[in-house]
Structures are given as C-alpha cells and as structure tokens.
Amino acid sequence: AQKVTQAQTEISVVEKEDVTLDCVYETRDTTYYLFWYKQPPSGELVFLIRRNSFDEQNEISGRYSWNFQKSTSSFNFTITASQVVDSAVYFCALINYGNDMRFGAGTRLTVKP
Amino acid sequence: NAGVTQTPKFQVLKTGQSMTLQCAQDMNHEYMSWYRQDPGMGLRLIHYSVGAGITDQGEVPNGYNVSRSTTEDFPLRLLSAAPSQTSVYFCASSSYMAGSSYNEQFFGPGTRLTVL
C-alpha cells in the first residue's frame, strides 16, 4: 500500500523565518502524482501544487518552493520569509493510477509575529 | 460556478441512526471522492468514483455506502452510525483522464458529524 509520511507534527517559527515542511512517500508504482494542500484555520482545503513522477523539476511560486527528489522519495515544501497568514495545516498527498489517494497526517505551521 | 457543495454543514446523530451526506459539483468532473478527517490522521479516502455508475472503495470504506447516478452528485450514506464515525467529512472532485493524469482536487467545505 502507498504511504505518505509527514514527520513534523507541529512547527513554530517567527515571522520572516524560512521554513521547510518535509514529505516522504512510499509507492511501488512508477507513475504517480504528488500534491500539497493547505488547510487554514477556517477549515477549507486549498490546492498548492501538483507534480507527476516524471517531472523532477523544482518549482518556485512567489515565497513557496518545492523540491522533488525521486532518489529519496521526498517532496519537500519551503516557505521563504514566512508570514502570519501562512499559519495553517499543510498536507502532502500521493495518488497512483489505481486511484488510491493517500494523505500524510499533516504539519501544523504556526507563524508568530 | 458553485464548485463543490456539501450538505449539511453540521449533523448530530445517535448510534444506529442512518443518514446521507450530500455532495454536488458543477464542474463536470469525472472523479469524485469522499474523505474523513480525524485529528492527527490527515484525510483518509472512504470511497471514490471515476464516473456515473462507477464506484470503488478507498482506504476506510467500512460502514459507508456510495452511489453515482449522475456526474454531478455523489452522496455518502451511513447505514448505522457509530461513535467511531464522528469526524469531519470532505467531498472532492477533479477532472480525470484514465491512465493519463490526475489534476488538483477541489474540496467542499466539509460536514462535521458527531455520533453520540
């Protein structure tokens, strides 16, 4: 079975610090998709990024960047110059062509002013 | 577009009662799914559907039934509620190309269910 591990349960930083959220996954499939979602205190789930297993390019979107390394089965997420509005629970997820979607347990990020 | 809608937002049931959580999307998405979110466990897939008339089990299907008679609707039925089913339930949809790609999932606002 597939598995996604987010070892960091909670992280607390001070505003303007950089922070990296770790995501390690397990799958036997060669084709799969990885996602990051944000869940702010209001409770909705917000899509951040999708990456397929054949695209190992790192991606940057404003203060957000993602590092995908198949060799270590990791898909880490970095927030540069964190802001209070970044406070949320962040989920990493994986899906294969068997439609088996697995989420990690989530990392709660608190950014203090 | 309303996106993905879920009703009700809150529900309290007694053990043994049955109910249906409603989910609808207006984006003509083929793929729809139900998740439950429990503290410290992330989201777990209950059931999913890749099109009208096609459903399948996810990671935690026991105690839940689904059907997909139309592209738009994907209701989740609890046949005999148990306290272990106390959770927040999310419905999601996405465009899907079999054997080709998965796109982002759009989530509904969630239903908070308490079973006493």
Side-chain angles (χ1 to χ4, degrees):
Chain A
Q2 306 189 125
K3 186 179 179 182
V4 176
T5 301
Q6 295 179 256
Q8 304 151 308
T9 305
E10 295 191 28
I11 300 176
S12 181
V13 299
V14 176
E15 207 170 20
K16 297 185 182 178
E17 285 186 25
D18 299 346
V19 58
T20 295
L21 309 181
D22 297 331
C23 172
V24 174
Y25 61 91
E26 298 174 27
T27 180
R28 294 181 177 179
D29 297 306
T30 57
T31 303
Y32 50 89
Y33 286 78
L34 295 163
F35 301 83
W36 275 94
Y37 285 87
K38 173 182 180 180
Q39 187 175 43
S42 52
E44 74 271 25
L45 285 147
V46 179
F47 166 78
L48 296 177
I49 190 171
R50 178 194 74 155
R51 176 68 73 231
N52 74 48
S53 53
F54 298 108
D55 181 3
E56 287 194 71
Q57 275 193 332
N58 292 330
E59 181 155 340
I60 298 174
S61 176
R63 298 184 296 107
Y64 295 171
S65 62
W66 290 269
N67 180 256
F68 176 31
Q69 292 194 337
K70 287 180 72 171
S71 60
T72 56
S73 297
S74 65
F75 187 41
N76 296 336
F77 172 33
T78 297
I79 301 174
T80 303
S82 60
Q83 299 176 0
V84 172
V85 294
D86 295 326
S87 295
V89 180
Y90 291 87
F91 293 100
C92 180
L94 176 150
I95 191 168
N96 64 3
Y97 281 157
N99 303 304
D100 183 10
M101 183 79 161
R102 299 294 174 109
F103 280 78
T107 297
R108 181 179 299 278
L109 173 66
T110 301
V111 181
K112 299 178 181 178
Chain B
N1 283 352
V4 180
T5 58
Q6 290 183 237
T7 56
K9 290 188 178 180
F10 302 94
Q11 183 70 51
V12 178
L13 293 177
K14 294 181 179 178
T15 297
Q17 286 185 317
S18 63
M19 80 159 296
T20 299
L21 306 185
Q22 300 292 344
C23 174
Q25 53 93 8
D26 61 1
M27 296 172 282
N28 203 32
H29 285 165
E30 301 88 351
Y31 186 93
M32 295 187 74
S33 52
W34 276 101
Y35 298 88
R36 58 178 290 172
Q37 182 177 17
D38 302 296
M41 301 188 74
L43 282 82
R44 291 182 293 168
L45 181 64
I46 305 172
H47 286 285
Y48 66 90
S49 168
V50 298
I54 306 170
T55 63
D56 208 342
Q57 297 180 352
E59 184 183 359
V60 289
N62 292 341
Y64 308 95
N65 277 355
V66 292
S67 60
R68 184 97 178 267
S69 56
T70 67
T71 299
E72 295 78 19
D73 300 300
F74 191 44
L76 178 72
R77 280 182 284 276
L78 283 72
L79 301 177
S80 179
S84 60
Q85 294 178 304
T86 293
S87 188
V88 179
Y89 291 85
F90 287 97
C91 178
S93 75
S94 69
S95 57
Y96 160 83
M97 297 174 64
S100 177
S101 70
Y102 288 93
N103 293 318
E104 65 179 282
Q105 293 198 30
F106 294 83
F107 285 84
T111 294
R112 186 173 294 275
L113 175 67
T114 302
V115 183
L116 303 175

